[in-house]
């Protein structure tokens, strides 16, 4: 995993469809930390994550990624090399099985072991069943397994606990904590407590 020092946002502003979501938004997060982005629907939580990922262009402000080696990265394309995304679209091909999907990511990124990921996420019973037949919670587990195989330091998670049962939420919290303990960083847009120590960034008004 590439070493990350941290990420900062300075006086960020973002609009969608001519509507100002937020302005003068600043934050800072270091390696090994989790940032919980909170706020009502429409406050811009997902849009903030998408701007960090480079999917949306900011109206104003600067996002700066700091590597552990002291290199400053401001270009969105360069920043994307440090990022992996988990959103409402699970990033998994529905016609393939969990084993086939995860085998691809393990081979392509050369990080992690597919069998260990299947075991860690409790996917043994469905490993050879096409993903299109899995429940929403099982698909979310496959998506978390994908994160562990990509090996990038900054996880951007959009409502990571949605569709998960109690056991799945506990497992998600364990994976987030393990990622941070290994020097990774997590930024999550969420309506729910993540179950791990984290910093909080509030958008909009409750």
């Amino acid at each position: 995993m590439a070493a990350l020092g941290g990420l900062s946002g300075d006086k960020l502003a973002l609009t969608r469809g001519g509507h100002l979501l937020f302005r003068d938004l600043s934050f800072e997060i270091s390696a090994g930390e989790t940032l919980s982005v909170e706020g009502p629907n429409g406050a811009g939580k997902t849009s903030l994550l998408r701007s960090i990922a480079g999917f949306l262009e900011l109206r104003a402000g600067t996002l700066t990624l700091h590597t552990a080696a002291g290199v400053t990265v401001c270009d969105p394309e360069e920043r994307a090399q440090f990022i992996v995304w988990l959103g409402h679209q699970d990033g998994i091909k529905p016609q393939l099985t969990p084993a086939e999907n995860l085998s691809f990511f393990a081979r392509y990124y050369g990080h992690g072991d597919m069998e260990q990921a299947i075991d860690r996420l409790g996917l043994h019973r469905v490993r050879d069943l096409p993903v299109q037949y899995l429940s929403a919670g099982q698909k979310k587990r496959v998506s978390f397994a994908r994160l562990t195989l990509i090996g990038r330091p900054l996880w951007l998670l959009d409502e990571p606990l949605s569709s998960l049962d109690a056991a799945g939420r506990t497992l998600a919290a364990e994976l987030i904590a393990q990622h941070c303990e290994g020097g990774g960083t997590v930024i999550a847009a969420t309506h729910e407590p993540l179950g791990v120590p984290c910093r909080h960034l509030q958008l909009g008004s409750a």
Side-chain angles (χ1 to χ4, degrees):
M1 181 170 66
L4 182 69
L7 178 77
S8 61
D10 182 46
K11 297 182 178 178
L12 307 181
L14 186 65
T15 59
R16 294 299 307 274
H19 172 66
L20 180 67
L21 294 177
F22 53 76
R23 64 182 177 185
D24 294 326
L25 178 69
S26 297
F27 68 90
E28 186 171 353
I29 184 171
S30 300
E33 292 185 328
T34 296
L35 179 66
S36 176
V37 182
E38 302 161 3
N41 292 337
K45 300 185 299 297
T46 297
S47 294
L48 174 61
L49 264 62
R50 291 179 64 83
S51 66
I52 295 171
F55 302 152
L56 295 178
E57 184 176 355
L58 291 165
R59 178 179 178 183
T62 304
L63 282 164
T64 305
L65 183 145
H66 312 274
T67 73
V71 177
T72 297
V73 178
C74 293
D75 180 76
E77 290 189 11
E78 293 183 37
R79 188 171 64 242
Q81 302 305 308
F82 294 82
I83 291 171
V84 62
W85 172 274
L86 185 151
H88 297 290
Q89 301 296 322
D90 50 41
I92 302 296
K93 290 189 177 297
Q95 69 272 26
L96 300 181
T97 67
E100 290 169 337
N101 273 287
L102 298 176
S103 177
F104 165 78
F105 288 110
R107 292 196 313 270
Y108 185 82
Y109 290 97
H111 178 87
D113 180 89
M114 183 267 288
E115 294 294 344
Q116 289 182 0
I118 286 177
D119 182 63
R120 183 76 175 87
L121 273 298
L123 294 167
H124 276 295
R125 290 196 308 161
V126 297
R127 59 170 291 148
D128 297 318
L129 187 67
V131 169
Q132 61 188 330
Y133 299 119
L134 303 187
S135 70
Q138 289 169 331
K139 291 177 182 177
K140 182 61 69 69
R141 286 178 180 243
V142 177
S143 294
F144 266 104
R146 177 179 64 89
L147 295 186
T148 69
L149 295 173
I150 292 178
R152 292 182 175 176
L154 178 53
W155 287 7
L156 300 180
L157 312 180
D158 190 11
E159 298 294 349
L161 303 183
S162 66
S163 303
L164 291 173
D165 58 15
R169 292 177 181 220
T170 297
L171 181 55
E174 291 173 355
L175 291 171
I176 291 171
Q178 183 178 1
H179 182 65
C180 290
E181 288 168 2
T185 302
V186 175
I187 302 178
T190 181
H191 287 92
E192 308 170 76
L194 295 172
V196 298
C198 57
R199 302 173 66 177
H200 300 269
L201 178 64
Q202 182 73 31
L203 301 184
S205 55

